[in-house]
Amino acid sequence: MSSIIQLLPDHVANQIAAGEVVQRPASVVKELLENAVDAKATDIKLIIKDAGKALVQVIDNGLGMSVTDARLCFERHATSKIRKAEDLFSLHTKGFRGEALASIAAIAHVDMKTKQDQEELGTQIIVEGSKFVSQEVAVLPKGTSFAVKNLFFNIPARRNFLKSDTVEYRHIIDEFQRVALAHPNIYFTFFHNGSEMFNLPPSSMRQRIVNVFSGKTNEKLVPVQEETEIVTIQGFVSKPEFAKKSRGEQFFFVNDRFIKSGYLHHAIMAAYDGILRDGAQPSYFLYLTVPPNTIDINIHPTKTEIKFDDEHAMYAILRASIKHSLGQFNVAPVLDFDRDSNLDTPYSYKNLEGATPTIQVDGSFNPFSDDKINKHYSGSNYKKPEPTSSWESLYVGLKQEGEFISGSSDFSFESEEVTGSLFNEEEVEQTVNNAYQIHKKYIVSPIKSGMVIVDQQRAHQRVLYEQFLTNMTVNQASSQQLLFPLDLFFSATEMELIQDLKLSLVNTGFVFEETTTDHVVISGIPVNVTESEVSLVLEQLLSDLQDGIPDSSFSQNDTIAKSMAKSLAVKTGTALTVKEQENLVNGLFACKDPNVSPFQKPTFITMRVEDLDKKFAL
């Protein structure tokens, strides 16, 4: 009987490893950028074409490689960072995975150029699908250039699973930002389809955050600094009023390596407990330094999750340090340039003491004396006023109510009798009985067979959703012009989304006066959106589209309508007037599909009189 178990050829094994290492172009960007950082580069360029599907190129001025190392780096389990198994638990570098370059070379066309500083000539190697095409001597500058072209060219099934260019580009930006934020001392530049997207010169930690995210970021940051035997914490958190709906600007770095940790995130949310609005997420950029032997970074293939020796202590220290920083921010004095200078003490009165006022009392004054004498005081002296006639004389000459005043026949009194009411009492009583609210959440309205109970938030979502969708697809959306245009700042990733959604947002009624790389100027908004709600609506929309923008225009309109309806719908806990309750109920049953909300949840239930009778039956 023939053998069943066989050893896989190297190129097949490399493709299988590539499925774990390279999920999308952003994975290649991460590996190449980390290798450039480990090569002690001070200037790193990232060049992308077609969201990384056509080209991912990283150029650095690092140490470079010798001819032998240039060839060996494409072999499996080849690494310069590990010598023995114990090194796995004492890592000071980043991309140590042995299959990285071998896996990338197995599924793409790779053109690598490298040269060491002490060498006169460098090496150029071309690999296509794990096959070495050529290795030549070339005149090159110091450092390494790694160009990955036609990703997944030999695995079309994997290529078909890639998302749209917009989504893949967003993932590349995420990986670039993580590496750039972790190393503010390195010069990073990023080009996409020939356009410069980021230019980040060496700077401080705070300035690097401001350069990566818009210029308004600086005023949002609160510094955090704590040093203990277990961990040293540095970085920044955002002020509570700048919290967003999305979780985009949240970064943990442990020993200059980006990680994800739900446990540490919970510690931060605990520090913000009671000072954030519902559903809001704070931004944070926290750099943790711990001894390498106290963490295990091999619990996840992408090395983005790690395990600490003492997680409870980390949780407590992080929570306490952020609470301390937020407390310092809240009590810190704020310069107010709009204060009224008239309230300041004049300089000439600076060293003078205020005079104590004197108190003078008239000991002979008796408020209960029989002689009704009004005494007008002037200091301690008073004088008796001239006696006047009794108060009854003021009404001499007046006749009965409704008659003319004697001697003034030109004037008459207007009757104050109420002749009628603006609303008919019967109608008011009937209206009140038509609908009423329970616990500021449900609206109960009687119907012929019993009663209907409406969830006010879901019902309003359905009404607004159909209004927005109709405006975008059938009617021309109406806009209300703003007297003062709104200037809103966003990150580079969010601006990419807004650029892609701009046409659909214009169809809803938004008017964009100006669009730049980090902010938009809005001069018009939809009719049923208030000025204060614009930023909330856009934040919710960007949060809902984190997983990608639908390709078809109808799906885009549907997504935008759902997001805006969720943002603007009346919330549970809001008291509604009787008129508002009736309008909401009538608007719901005028919809094409009143049974469910835009998110396929029931908007109302009905209870028949028979059902109520059964409840009372013995």
Side-chain angles (χ1 to χ4, degrees):
M1 184 177 179
S2 60
S3 300
I4 299 176
I5 298 176
Q6 302 177 23
L7 290 175
L8 289 173
D10 285 344
H11 71 281
V12 177
N14 287 340
Q15 287 187 6
I16 294 173
E20 181 179 309
V21 178
V22 184
Q23 289 90 16
R24 53 185 5 128
S27 306
V28 177
V29 171
K30 176 180 182 294
E31 296 292 342
L32 298 185
L33 286 178
E34 289 183 347
N35 284 341
V37 171
D38 287 339
K40 297 179 171 58
T42 58
D43 189 342
I44 300 176
K45 293 182 176 65
L46 172 62
I47 302 172
I48 301 294
K49 287 186 179 178
D50 297 337
K53 298 174 184 177
L55 172 67
V56 174
Q57 185 175 9
V58 173
I59 305 172
D60 67 69
N61 63 347
L63 299 176
M65 288 182 282
S66 65
V67 177
T68 305
D69 288 344
R71 185 67 182 252
L72 280 176
C73 73
F74 291 104
E75 299 296 330
R76 294 190 68 197
H77 304 297
T79 177
S80 63
K81 286 115 182 178
I82 298 175
R83 293 290 180 268
K84 54 186 182 296
E86 288 77 8
D87 292 341
L88 288 171
F89 301 96
S90 183
L91 286 168
H92 297 273
T93 55
K94 294 180 177 294
F96 67 90
R97 187 191 286 113
E99 299 92 351
L101 295 182
S103 299
I104 293 172
I107 54 174
H109 297 162
V110 178
D111 183 356
M112 187 188 72
K113 302 174 183 178
T114 183
K115 174 185 171 297
Q116 292 180 319
D117 193 20
Q118 66 273 18
E119 300 291 336
E120 293 184 0
L121 296 174
T123 305
Q124 180 179 8
I125 296 178
I126 297 177
V127 183
E128 296 179 358
S130 293
K131 297 179 181 178
F132 281 85
V133 177
S134 66
Q135 179 174 349
E136 300 175 352
V137 176
V139 178
L140 300 169
K142 172 197 171 184
T144 304
S145 170
F146 212 109
V148 179
K149 305 173 184 177
N150 304 322
L151 195 64
F152 298 125
F153 79 100
N154 54 353
I155 313 178
R158 288 291 304 273
R159 192 176 181 90
N160 292 336
F161 275 99
L162 293 178
K163 304 293 184 181
S164 64
D165 286 358
T166 303
V167 176
E168 297 298 339
Y169 175 62
R170 277 182 45 238
H171 284 287
I172 290 174
I173 288 182
D174 289 342
E175 294 294 347
F176 175 80
Q177 288 176 346
R178 292 167 183 174
V179 178
L181 289 172
H183 302 278
N185 58 324
I186 300 178
Y187 199 127
F188 285 94
T189 49
F190 179 16
F191 298 89
H192 182 225
N193 291 337
S195 301
E196 184 180 83
M197 307 308 298
F198 289 94
N199 190 330
L200 308 174
S203 61
S204 64
M205 190 185 299
R206 186 181 193 122
Q207 189 61 43
R208 175 55 59 89
I209 295 171
V210 173
N211 289 338
V212 171
F213 302 96
S214 64
K216 287 287 185 179
T217 306
N218 189 37
E219 65 188 48
K220 306 176 185 178
L221 301 179
V222 178
V224 178
Q225 191 162 6
E226 190 71 38
E227 186 172 354
T228 66
E229 295 179 356
I230 298 176
V231 60
T232 299
I233 302 174
Q234 287 184 316
F236 302 89
V237 295
S238 68
K239 298 176 184 177
E241 61 265 28
F242 291 104
K244 295 183 175 181
K245 290 279 187 182
S246 61
R247 297 181 57 173
E249 298 177 8
Q250 296 180 342
F251 295 89
F252 279 118
F253 299 96
V254 175
N255 295 352
D256 292 336
R257 180 191 292 270
F258 172 80
I259 67 156
K260 297 177 181 178
S261 174
Y263 189 65
L264 296 184
H265 174 75
H266 190 275
I268 293 179
M269 297 303 294
Y272 276 92
D273 188 27
I275 56 177
L276 285 179
R277 63 179 185 270
D278 291 341
Q281 293 286 335
S283 301
Y284 51 80
F285 310 88
L286 296 174
Y287 299 77
L288 282 63
T289 304
V290 299
N293 58 353
T294 62
I295 57 174
D296 182 5
I297 62 176
N298 297 306
I299 64 173
H300 194 274
T302 62
K303 308 297 184 287
T304 56
E305 296 182 12
I306 66 175
K307 186 170 181 60
F308 297 94
D309 278 355
D310 194 348
E311 289 186 336
H312 296 291
M314 290 288 297
Y315 184 100
I317 294 171
L318 184 61
R319 178 175 175 269
S321 61
I322 293 177
K323 261 188 173 299
H324 177 65
S325 295
L326 292 174
Q328 282 185 321
F329 160 71
N330 286 330
V331 300
V334 179
L335 287 176
D336 186 3
F337 295 99
D338 296 328
R339 58 187 176 83
D340 189 356
S341 59
N342 294 325
L343 300 178
D344 292 343
T345 303
Y347 185 75
S348 58
Y349 289 87
K350 180 179 179 182
N351 297 320
L352 296 180
E353 295 183 359
T356 304
T358 58
I359 302 175
Q360 298 175 346
V361 180
D362 177 21
S364 63
F365 175 71
N366 183 5
F368 302 103
S369 62
D370 294 335
D371 54 337
K372 298 180 173 55
I373 302 174
N374 294 324
K375 299 177 180 179
H376 300 279
Y377 292 90
S378 176
S380 60
N381 301 320
Y382 68 92
K383 60 178 181 178
K384 296 182 180 180
E386 295 293 331
T388 58
S389 57
S390 61
W391 59 269
E392 291 90 345
S393 62
L394 296 174
Y395 296 91
V396 174
L398 289 181
K399 296 188 177 181
Q400 296 299 322
E401 182 182 356
E403 296 184 6
F404 292 113
I405 299 176
S406 176
S408 301
S409 58
D410 294 335
F411 300 97
S412 62
F413 289 104
E414 186 174 304
S415 174
E416 296 182 356
E417 181 182 355
V418 179
T419 56
S421 174
L422 183 61
F423 299 101
N424 192 333
E425 293 181 2
E426 295 180 359
E427 292 181 359
V428 172
E429 185 178 357
Q430 184 179 0
T431 303
V432 172
N433 291 332
N434 274 347
Y436 55 92
Q437 196 177 23
I438 298 179
H439 295 299
K440 299 180 182 179
K441 184 176 182 181
Y442 300 109
I443 299 173
V444 179
S445 181
I447 55 178
K448 289 184 178 179
S449 59
M451 63 179 176
V452 60
I453 304 174
V454 178
D455 186 309
Q456 65 183 36
Q457 184 172 0
R458 295 180 184 177
H460 201 206
Q461 286 177 355
R462 165 55 64 178
V463 173
L464 291 176
Y465 168 72
E466 294 199 4
Q467 287 178 0
F468 285 126
L469 207 57
T470 302
N471 290 339
M472 286 188 285
T473 56
V474 181
N475 302 332
Q476 185 175 2
S478 301
S479 298
Q480 51 180 334
Q481 295 300 310
L482 298 175
L483 183 60
F484 301 102
L486 292 175
D487 199 355
L488 303 177
F489 286 81
F490 298 96
S491 65
T493 307
E494 293 170 339
M495 283 303 304
E496 282 291 322
L497 285 174
I498 291 177
Q499 289 281 17
D500 294 332
L501 295 171
K502 188 174 180 181
L503 182 59
S504 298
L505 290 174
V506 169
N507 291 335
T508 63
F510 285 98
V511 178
F512 292 89
E513 187 174 301
E514 183 184 354
T515 305
T516 64
T517 57
D518 64 347
H519 76 283
V520 294
V521 179
I522 298 176
S523 59
I525 57 178
V527 175
N528 46 2
V529 178
T530 62
E531 186 175 347
S532 60
E533 294 172 331
V534 174
S535 59
L536 296 177
V537 169
L538 293 180
E539 277 184 23
Q540 182 67 56
L541 180 60
L542 295 173
S543 175
D544 292 340
L545 292 173
Q546 281 184 336
D547 297 331
I549 301 175
D551 295 329
S552 65
S553 59
F554 177 79
S555 298
Q556 283 188 20
N557 293 338
D558 183 70
T559 303
I560 292 174
K562 285 181 179 178
S563 179
M564 293 179 65
K566 181 165 63 174
S567 301
L568 300 173
V570 60
K571 302 296 186 291
T572 297
T574 303
L576 302 179
T577 64
V578 175
K579 196 66 176 176
E580 289 171 339
Q581 296 171 29
E582 289 187 350
N583 289 339
L584 183 55
V585 173
N586 294 334
L588 173 64
F589 290 105
C591 292
K592 295 180 180 178
D593 188 5
N595 297 314
V596 292
S597 72
F599 307 98
Q600 303 304 311
K601 294 181 179 179
T603 56
F604 68 91
I605 60 172
T606 57
M607 292 191 67
R608 299 179 303 166
V609 176
E610 291 83 356
D611 297 332
L612 295 175
D613 292 340
K614 291 178 182 179
K615 298 288 185 183
F616 289 99
L618 295 178

